[in-house]
Amino acid sequence: MQRIWQVVGLIPKGNVSSYGKIADLAGLPGRARYVSRALKLAPDELNLPWHRVINSQGKIAFPESTPAFIEQMQLLRNENIEVNRGKIKLSNYEWQPDLATLMFELSF
């Protein structure tokens, strides 16, 4: 879980990443569902930007109109990310970490 939390913590304001990509960057390919679980179990004091994590189709994963969906949509909009009915245009907002970020910011 530590690896996942570290990767999520690196997602910059105004960007998003998918559960699957986070799993890959954390060295856990194919474990997208584990990312979701790790975020649910993350201690509040980590202040992780959980709202920047979306599904591989560029959508908020929570069911539409739920409090979690509305909260995530508002947090993303507060970062000037366009959200249209729960969908984010990945070509505009997907986080593409450079090699230096991966080499020097990740401890694994």
Side-chain angles (χ1 to χ4, degrees):
M1 282 193 219
Q2 299 283 341
R3 289 179 177 192
I4 290 169
W5 296 340
Q6 191 174 6
V7 172
V8 171
L10 291 175
I11 304 170
K13 184 177 180 178
N15 291 112
V16 296
S17 189
S18 70
Y19 293 97
K21 185 170 186 174
I22 291 165
D24 289 347
L25 291 172
L28 302 163
R31 305 288 305 272
R33 289 178 193 243
Y34 187 66
V35 172
S36 176
R37 179 164 169 69
L39 289 175
K40 287 176 189 166
L41 296 174
D44 290 338
E45 57 268 15
L46 288 180
N47 293 316
L48 291 177
W50 63 269
H51 61 283
R52 297 179 188 150
V53 183
I54 58 174
N55 71 23
S56 61
Q57 290 82 42
K59 296 179 183 176
I60 292 174
F62 297 110
E64 203 168 332
S65 301
T66 62
F69 177 94
I70 293 166
E71 180 183 9
Q72 185 172 12
M73 185 169 56
Q74 191 56 53
L75 289 169
L76 291 170
R77 286 179 174 167
N78 289 347
E79 294 185 5
N80 296 317
I81 295 173
E82 288 181 51
V83 183
N84 184 9
R85 297 177 59 203
K87 179 111 169 91
I88 296 100
K89 194 171 186 178
L90 289 175
S91 60
N92 291 347
Y93 301 104
E94 186 175 24
W95 177 46
Q96 300 287 338
D98 58 24
L99 186 58
T101 298
L102 298 177
M103 288 181 63
F104 297 115
E105 298 292 332
L106 297 176
S107 61
F108 49 88

